[in-house]
Each structure stands twice: as structure tokens, then as C-alpha cells.
Amino acid sequence: MKFVFAALALAALVGPDLASGRDSGATQGQAHGLASAPAKPWAPAGDLIKTPWAAQVSPESTLPEYPRPRLVRDAWQNLNGLWDYAITPKGAALPAAFDGQILVPFPVESSLSGVQREVGPDNELWYKREFTVPVGAAWREKNVLLHFGAVDWRADVFVNGAPAGSHTGGYTPFSFDITNYVKPDAANTLVVRVWDPTDASDHPVGKQSRKPKGIWYTAVTGIWQTVWLEPVSTNYIKDIQAVSDIDAGTLAVTVTQRSAGIPAREIADWNVRAPVEVELLDNDKVLATARGHAGQAVTLSLKTPILWSPENPKLYDLRARLLSDEKNADEARSYAAFRQISMQRDAAGIMRMQLNGKNYFHFGPLDQGWWPDGLYTAPTDEALRFDIIKTKELGFNMIRKHVKVEPQRWYYHCDREGILVWQDMPSTHSYGLGAKWGRNELDGGTDTLRTPLSKDNFYKEWGEIMDLCQGHPSVVVWVPFNEAWGQFDTDKVVQWTKQRDPSRLVNPASGGNLRMYKDAVGVLRPCADMVDFHHYPEPKLFKGDADRVLVLGEYGGLALPLPDHLWQRDGKNWGYGKVKFTGRDDLTAKHVEYANMLKGLVKDGFSAAVYTQTTDVEIEANGFYTYDRKVLKFDPAAARAANLEVIGTLPAE
């Protein structure tokens, strides 16, 4: 009866053919009454700058890599490529004809989508494609999951006319069991409807804007990460999380499971009872084995584990099995690392961050994660890895991922290459609602007035982002707020974050309202683990809090516009500071000058610093690299030497 009501409601919304799933007998391009505009050869849209990898993008091979390296099964089907698309007024029925084709998973506003059109809050974006479920042994008698890496912001998914599910949130993966909706050995129709109000809302959007300028960039709408199918058993492994204890030489591994077609809340009791077996491996050699139950941590022990660090990013393999009557119900591969992030006072009484029990200065760029050709989406996996590799080559050991979340493969590359990650929560644009920024002062300013719905959206999406990143050893710091943008209930958000993941440090508001709070008996307490100041362009030390780590969350931003590599060509490109640079030499000299200033401030109390930024972005010309990644604007040897000297200023002991 529930399905009948759902189908009737869908029929009223999108038309009877799609809602009922009737096959009208039309050709594939017109299945279920869905007509498409005549197909045109795909090509990047527009004439703006491109990265070198844009030439490698094609509909036949669009981001073909396995999208979930931290939970691997062999069988899967990539659904990236050309889909039909249409833009219609919000609330309109499924269009009778589509506007053309779009290259998924590039956002519709991007060049590599082949479309480069705005959508906006008054419209909806529709996608459609046909797919066939493979018939091989790996898929036979299995349930079929439909995965989306990320869709911004609300996605409603229909398979052969039936509503398969909906999801809100623009940054995290989600999936639906579509087994009951697909037809074996036949073409199936997949339709996705997307609505994204961007900054006409108070849900998380990061740097996106409907009117990009200054530090705000082009809006991103719709599918922007890989779409894929996966066969699973009725009972299957949903996730594998590992937390290390380097002092004990143990790894606590929790395997969670799902039963296809059954809501998670209805299998909670069974989840605890399901037996699991976990193996720790190194170069295919089994080092430890443990048995337990799904939903509960099992402990793997290793006498002398090699510790993960940027200097030696050692990863161990994991193999997990979900058992039924001592037989494998499911098996998946993952990986883990032994590493510890903590804080401790040094000999001078200054609170310092520590990696694996030793003082460790975090130094790296603010990384926006934007691309001139793909916007939120890197054109290739090689491009995605490029920024990480070049950051390390410049002598940095950390990246602050700024108000954006990346595909899972980005965090995988950080794990493998060895770089620390500070993960920001994408900010809202509601910071003007009652907010007053107490810039660079302790306990100053007034937080944002947030609606109950916006708070719910925040916690939902922040929790999903934490779940996405939690299994990656490279991620060491959570940053819920940036510069008071939508900042609210800071102490409550921090406590919620710490409770959800006590194994990492929390930077409560990078450059924002640096809160203290009163405990149950009225004593003023520090909020979270850090006090984070922003100052442009030169580094500057402010009075901190003796009980928290003091960090410089942003500085620098020195601009050198290079005419043949600019997104915006009207001469309004900008950076921080009044100095005009003529080329690589004087730009590098200023960076080295600031690095030398920073070395003195490290001794006085700074335990981390973030330079703005990895690349130019749209109108901003303050990157190490140009926006198209074709030119490094700094002398690499001089920049690397200066950066390594900053890191080495803080003794390990």
C-alpha cells in the first residue's frame, strides 16, 4: 500500500509513464515517454582557461577509477559518461523532451560538463540515462546498490519510474538499494531530479555564490562525483573504521553491516550479533587476525607497528569478512595506519600539537579544491593527486581543505602520499543574520542567528562529512566554522564533534569568534583545542589562551596575476596586501621574508600556519600555482627551503 501511494504521488508530479514504470515500447532514447534533443558531439563549453588534463577527458573514459578506496569490492559498474539533461522551473513535471547531453559527473555550470549553464533556486535540474545490470557471476542473485559520490544539494532518484530514494546535502556519498526496481537483462531508466538554492538558503555551500566575485566562486549544481552500481549480498559490509593506539600497538576495527532492503534501525540488534573476522596485512602477509561482531570494535595487535607520518606514510591493509554459519556472507578490503594526533605542553609551557607523541609543526596551504574546467570536480584522478604532490614538493606537511569536501580518492591520495589534513565544514552564507565578527580577539563577537532547520542541516551534513573522513589517517583536525560564517552554539558544536570523534583535535572556528564557555559550575573554560587567528598579508602573533594550541589559520595571499592564465581577464584580479609583484623572484622573496618572520613567531607560540593558497581561483590571483596549474609562480627550491625551515623551528622533543 505504501508503494501505491508513492507511485500515485509521483504520477501527479512527473507524469504517468515515469511514475508507473510502464514501457511505452519506444526506442531507448525515448523510453517511458522521455524524449531527448538530438545528440551533439560532446566538447568542453566556453572559452575560459583549462588545465592540462582537460584534453584527456572524454565520454568514453570519465573518471574511471574505483571511487571508494577505503572499502573495496571487485565488482562494480561505472555510470559516468553522457546523460540527458534538462533544466525546468521548480515543481514542473518531468520534461517531455530533454535539452541535450551532459558529461557526468561534472557540474552543469562547468566547462567539462559540455553545458555550462546556470540553474538557480527557481529551477530544477533533471538527469536521465539508460543502464543494464551486468549478468556475470559476481552479479547473479545479488542485490544492486546505486551509489552517488555527491550531488549538490537535494537529489530525488527514480529507477524505471519508481522512487528509489532522496538525499539532501551536497558533499557526501549516499546509496539506494534498487534491486526491486531494476529489470534483469534489459535496459533500465535512471532519472535524477536536483534542486539547489545555493546561497539563497542557509544550508552549507562553502564558497559557492550565484553572483561570484572576490572570494566567492561559481555555483555548483547537481551530480559532481562518480555514479556507480555495486552488487552486494543480502547482508553486507557497510563500513570499516579503524582507530589506532600506538602505545599499546593495537588497532580497534569496527565493521558495520547492512541488510539489503531493511532499514538500519530495524537491524540494530542483529547488527551486534553478526560475526565478523578481520585481518591485518602487510604486503599480503597476515600479521594479525581477530574475530568479533559487527558494530563492535575488534582488536588487532602488532608489537612494533611502523607509525604513519608525512615523512613515512606507512599503510597496512585490512581484510574484513562478514560471516554466516562460518561462511563468507561478504568480504571487503580496506587499509589503516598507526598514528596519533594529540597536544602537550613543551618545556617552555606552550601547548603544542604532537604527532605520534612528538611536537610537530603543521604548515601548509589553504586549499580551495576548485578547477577552472570542472569547478568542484577535478578533470582526472591524476589532476586530483597533482595538488597534493606539489604541496609536498614545496616542503609543506599539511593541507587545510577550505570549506569544501573532496571525493574519497583525494583523502586516499593524502593517506598514501603522506600529508596532514585539516578538514573544514563547508560554511553557510547566513553569517549576516545577527552575527558580529570578533576578529582576532578572545571571546569577542556575536554568533549567527540560525533557524532550527539550518542547525539540523548543519549537524546532519557535518556528521556525514566526519563519517566520510574518519577512516583516513591523514585527517587530523576538524574545523566546524570559518571566520564566523554561520557560526553558532560553538561550545555545543565542539562538544558534539569531540564526542563523535575523540581521536582528533578540534579547531572550533578558524579565525572566527574564539569562544570561551562556562561549565556546569560557572567556571570559564576554553572551547576546543585551538585558538586560530587570521592575519593578512604578513604573519602576526596575537594573545592566545594558555590551555589551547595557538595557530595562524590564514596569512599570505600574495598575488601575481599572469595574463595568459587568468579566469577573469578584466584586470580586477587581486590578492592580499598592497605590494605589486613583477615576477617570480620578488614574489618568492616576499614569501621567504614572511617565512623568516614566522620562524620567530613559532618560538613565541605558534604551532601551525596556513598560507593562502595552493592555486589561483577565479578572480583571486594569490596561489602558488596559476588556476590552470600550468605555472608555478614561486621558485620551488627557495620556497621549499624556507618552508622546511619553518617546520624545523619547533623541536620534536
Side-chain angles (χ1 to χ4, degrees):
M1 185 62 69
K2 291 181 180 178
F3 175 77
V4 172
F5 286 139
L8 289 173
L10 183 63
L13 182 63
V14 299
D17 285 345
L18 182 62
S20 66
R22 291 197 303 267
D23 190 339
S24 64
T27 62
Q28 275 195 7
Q30 296 177 327
H32 309 296
L34 306 182
S36 300
K40 297 179 181 179
W42 171 85
D47 63 351
L48 297 178
I49 57 174
K50 308 284 191 298
T51 65
W53 303 278
Q56 302 173 18
V57 176
S58 72
E60 293 73 35
S61 181
T62 310
L63 295 174
E65 293 80 12
Y66 189 79
R68 193 187 57 197
R70 209 176 50 73
L71 180 64
V72 178
R73 296 186 183 90
D74 292 330
W76 70 295
Q77 182 181 22
N78 195 327
L79 296 184
N80 292 343
L82 288 176
W83 296 40
D84 296 329
Y85 87 95
I87 298 174
T88 65
K90 187 174 184 292
L94 177 77
F98 279 66
D99 299 343
Q101 291 190 309
I102 183 172
L103 187 59
V104 170
F106 296 105
V108 67
E109 296 91 348
S110 73
S111 171
L112 290 180
S113 71
V115 178
Q116 205 172 55
R117 288 177 59 186
E118 296 179 4
V119 180
D122 298 326
N123 295 314
E124 290 174 329
L125 172 63
W126 296 81
Y127 296 85
K128 178 183 74 75
R129 68 156 290 159
E130 307 292 330
F131 70 92
T132 302
V133 178
V135 295
W139 295 77
R140 194 174 300 127
E141 297 182 359
K142 293 293 182 72
N143 288 68
V144 179
L145 299 183
L146 171 63
H147 294 279
F148 294 85
V151 181
D152 196 4
W153 180 75
R154 176 185 171 91
D156 301 305
V157 180
F158 310 100
V159 178
N160 291 330
S166 298
H167 180 266
T168 59
Y171 296 98
T172 53
F174 59 95
S175 61
F176 303 117
D177 186 337
I178 61 171
T179 308
N180 293 333
Y181 308 127
V182 296
K183 298 176 291 186
D185 303 326
N188 297 277
T189 301
L190 171 59
V191 172
V192 182
R193 178 182 59 207
V194 176
W195 175 67
D196 181 18
T198 311
D199 52 358
S201 70
D202 56 4
H203 67 239
V205 295
K207 288 291 193 80
Q208 299 179 62
S209 174
R210 291 171 295 149
K211 297 180 180 180
K213 62 179 180 179
I215 63 171
W216 309 111
Y217 316 141
T218 303
V220 168
T221 301
I223 299 170
W224 67 276
Q225 291 186 30
T226 292
V227 185
W228 54 295
L229 297 176
E230 180 184 31
V232 296
S233 303
T234 302
N235 299 316
Y236 64 94
I237 295 169
K238 182 178 181 292
D239 197 11
I240 302 171
Q241 294 281 3
V243 178
S244 63
D245 183 334
I246 65 171
D247 296 323
T250 59
L251 201 65
V253 181
T254 303
V255 178
T256 54
Q257 66 89 44
R258 286 293 303 272
S259 289
I262 302 176
R265 63 182 180 275
E266 296 180 14
I267 62 168
D269 293 338
W270 190 90
N271 185 54
V272 173
R273 295 193 301 270
V276 298
E277 182 179 72
V278 182
E279 293 177 334
L280 179 68
L281 304 94
D282 189 19
N283 294 321
D284 294 326
K285 179 182 178 181
V286 177
L287 304 179
T289 302
R291 280 200 173 197
H293 295 88
Q296 297 178 338
V298 300
T299 301
L300 296 162
S301 298
L302 196 59
K303 286 186 177 180
T304 55
I306 300 173
L307 303 184
W308 183 97
S309 70
E311 294 72 29
N312 184 26
K314 174 63 179 177
L315 299 176
Y316 291 89
D317 294 321
L318 291 173
R319 185 161 55 213
R321 300 183 181 93
L322 190 69
L323 304 175
S324 178
D325 297 328
E326 291 302 307
K327 296 180 180 179
N328 282 3
D330 189 25
E331 181 175 320
R333 300 187 303 280
S334 186
Y335 63 88
F338 289 85
R339 73 102 179 90
Q340 180 189 69
I341 182 72
S342 58
M343 49 192 279
Q344 188 68 257
R345 296 189 190 279
D346 65 9
I350 299 173
M351 195 68 77
R352 301 291 190 181
M353 283 187 289
Q354 294 195 322
L355 178 65
N356 299 330
K358 297 181 179 180
N359 297 336
Y360 198 88
F361 190 85
H362 296 208
F363 191 28
L366 194 73
D367 192 305
Q368 311 277 5
W370 287 73
W371 302 84
D373 34 31
L375 298 180
Y376 258 17
T377 309
T380 68
D381 192 62
E382 180 187 358
L384 190 69
R385 183 171 169 265
F386 176 87
D387 287 0
I388 301 166
I389 295 295
K390 295 304 178 182
T391 296
K392 283 209 72 175
E393 287 180 358
L394 285 170
F396 292 116
N397 59 19
M398 176 266 276
I399 291 171
R400 180 182 167 205
K401 180 51 63 176
H402 190 40
V403 295
K404 189 207 173 190
V405 181
E406 293 291 354
Q408 294 177 69
R409 290 194 64 85
W410 186 86
Y411 300 97
Y412 165 67
H413 291 316
C414 290
D415 294 340
R416 287 188 62 192
E417 301 300 335
I419 198 153
L420 305 176
V421 175
W422 291 15
Q423 180 59 56
D424 285 13
M425 169 65 179
S427 56
T428 72
H429 280 212
S430 60
Y431 52 85
L433 301 177
K436 181 180 179 182
W437 186 6
R439 188 190 297 264
N440 293 337
E441 58 181 275
L442 287 177
D443 213 32
T446 304
D447 283 356
T448 302
L449 300 175
R450 298 281 291 259
T451 65
L453 178 59
S454 74
K455 292 182 180 182
D456 289 345
N457 281 339
F458 177 93
Y459 281 114
K460 173 186 177 295
E461 295 198 44
W462 186 224
E464 291 177 352
I465 291 165
M466 291 182 66
D467 291 345
L468 169 69
C469 298
Q470 198 162 346
H472 292 279
S474 57
V475 179
V476 294
V477 174
W478 301 119
V479 188
F481 298 112
N482 176 74
E483 292 188 352
W485 298 352
Q487 185 177 351
F488 73 98
D489 295 347
T490 312
D491 59 316
K492 294 179 182 178
V493 170
V494 165
Q495 291 174 37
W496 187 90
T497 303
K498 293 286 281 187
Q499 184 176 16
R500 195 177 185 96
D501 179 18
S503 71
R504 290 175 171 86
L505 301 180
V506 178
N507 181 349
S510 183
N513 291 330
L514 309 175
R515 288 277 173 248
M516 305 286 282
Y517 71 96
K518 290 184 178 180
D519 63 15
V521 295
V523 177
L524 203 62
R525 301 290 187 187
C527 183
D529 302 313
M530 300 182 192
V531 175
D532 182 323
F533 296 108
H534 292 179
H535 189 267
Y536 286 104
E538 75 279 3
K540 183 178 179 180
L541 188 70
F542 296 86
K543 183 179 180 180
D545 174 355
D547 294 324
R548 289 186 281 181
V549 173
L550 183 62
V551 304
L552 182 62
E554 293 179 28
Y555 84 100
L558 305 174
L560 176 62
L562 297 182
D564 294 333
H565 303 275
L566 296 176
W567 165 276
Q568 187 161 311
R569 304 163 186 163
D570 59 4
K572 295 181 180 179
N573 305 90
W574 69 282
Y576 293 96
K578 298 179 180 180
V579 178
K580 300 289 186 180
F581 298 97
T582 60
R584 170 183 286 194
D585 290 346
D586 59 342
L587 182 67
T588 302
K590 182 60 71 173
H591 176 73
V592 172
E593 177 187 332
Y594 285 175
N596 288 332
M597 293 172 63
L598 188 56
K599 287 191 293 185
L601 301 181
V602 172
K603 295 177 181 178
D604 292 337
F606 274 143
S607 294
V610 178
Y611 182 90
T612 302
Q613 58 189 343
T614 308
T615 72
D616 298 348
V617 185
E618 298 201 359
I619 192 173
E620 296 184 47
N622 49 11
F624 280 100
Y625 275 86
T626 54
Y627 195 17
D628 57 14
R629 275 73 167 176
K630 292 181 180 178
V631 179
L632 174 61
K633 295 188 285 182
F634 289 69
D635 177 84
R640 175 181 172 84
N643 296 337
L644 290 174
E645 285 182 13
V646 171
I647 293 171
T649 303
L650 180 63
E653 302 293 342

